[in-house]
Amino acid sequence: MKQSDLTSDGAGRAGLACASARPGRRTSGSAFADLPPAPDDPLLGFAPYVHRAPRRNSITPERQRAFIAALAATGIVTQAARSIGASLEALYRLRHQPGAEQFSEAWDRAIDRGIARLEDCALERAIMGEERPIVRGGEVIGTWRRHDNKLLMFLLRQRRPQRWFSEAGAFASLRPGHPVYERLRREWLGEDGQSEAEVLAEIDAMIMEMAERKDENERLLAGWAAEDAGAVEAD
């Protein structure tokens, strides 16, 4: 990482910027790195590994914290390693040394921050879509915005599983005699003392609701696919 890759957040903290010469052409914030954690961030409060006989190129406590800060900002191990001038082999070897347990835990937490940022970028792309050119006669005559419906459905199923999770179809096929159906019946009978008829009626109602949601989701997906096909034909 070069010094020119650093920006400031106005409070004295340096942040990593997009290395692209034309960052405006990127489709989302995933082209940029987040600001690294502040010096007093609990993420950097781990006990680093201390070399018994440090050499000139040892990964010192200061370099370990710089690596964790860069990893939290980028979410990419190779970039974080490059930022401190260390090899991946040396970092992974250090991570597995006795006495480097807290460094290893901080590594995992930094990755979690990177994953959270990746989820935010994916959500942004699913909502905002991606601008694509309309080319006619070898010239760009306009643009249209494409939404990735597969990405959208994935995020909905992850964040609203009770509404969109794909296992609704499997539950909708349950019938008396199915092991899952019978397990639910036994559990519901034992929890609130309902009669078996009442329990069966509730299970049937739940299955019917899931089936209706599944049909509704399929109709929605089919509508989106038709819209995408129409946009492509318009090109």
Side-chain angles (χ1 to χ4, degrees):
M1 180 182 68
K2 307 184 295 297
Q3 184 66 29
S4 59
D5 293 334
L6 296 176
T7 61
S8 173
D9 66 348
R13 285 194 296 152
L16 296 173
C18 178
S20 171
R22 293 185 293 175
R25 295 178 62 86
R26 303 297 183 179
T27 57
S28 77
S30 59
F32 297 84
D34 197 4
L35 290 170
D40 59 350
D41 192 301
L43 178 66
L44 304 180
F46 65 93
Y49 176 83
V50 179
H51 294 270
R52 294 182 179 179
R55 296 179 295 182
R56 182 179 58 84
N57 63 342
S58 294
I59 304 177
T60 61
E62 292 76 15
R63 294 179 73 196
Q64 291 172 47
R65 289 196 171 89
F67 168 77
I68 295 299
L71 184 58
T74 65
I76 303 174
V77 176
T78 52
Q79 288 190 15
R82 190 180 301 117
S83 72
I84 66 167
S87 68
L88 290 177
E89 293 79 7
L91 283 162
Y92 278 105
R93 187 166 55 248
L94 172 64
R95 180 177 186 176
H96 293 97
Q97 290 292 327
E101 290 81 9
Q102 291 194 27
F103 171 66
S104 179
E105 292 174 1
W107 184 321
D108 289 337
R109 292 198 301 273
I111 288 290
D112 286 341
R113 290 195 184 186
I115 294 298
R117 177 174 162 270
L118 179 62
E119 290 178 344
D120 291 341
C121 291
L123 182 60
E124 175 194 356
R125 180 165 295 180
I127 294 174
M128 302 298 295
E130 179 183 10
E131 191 172 10
R132 293 193 171 187
I134 300 174
V135 180
R136 184 170 296 167
E139 296 183 358
V140 177
I141 62 173
T143 61
W144 67 286
R145 188 163 294 276
R146 177 185 181 274
H147 289 83
D148 188 338
N149 293 327
K150 290 184 178 179
L151 174 61
L152 181 61
M153 288 305 303
F154 173 80
L155 291 170
L156 286 173
R157 287 166 179 161
Q158 294 298 314
R159 299 201 174 196
R160 297 289 186 272
Q162 70 278 9
R163 177 68 177 82
W164 296 95
F165 193 48
S166 59
E167 282 189 2
F171 279 107
S173 64
L174 293 181
R175 294 294 183 272
H178 190 286
V180 176
Y181 187 101
E182 297 302 326
R183 177 176 59 79
L184 289 172
R185 181 181 64 82
R186 289 193 299 269
E187 290 180 356
W188 288 6
L189 279 172
E191 284 182 357
D192 52 21
Q194 288 179 294
S195 68
E196 183 169 353
E198 292 172 331
V199 169
L200 293 178
E202 288 193 11
I203 294 177
D204 288 340
M206 177 190 70
I207 292 173
M208 183 175 297
E209 181 183 358
M210 287 182 173
E212 291 173 351
R213 288 180 178 177
K214 177 176 178 291
D215 292 341
E216 181 182 344
N217 293 344
E218 289 177 350
R219 286 194 297 271
L220 184 59
L221 285 173
W224 287 341
E227 289 177 5
D228 283 349
V232 171
E233 290 177 1
D235 291 351

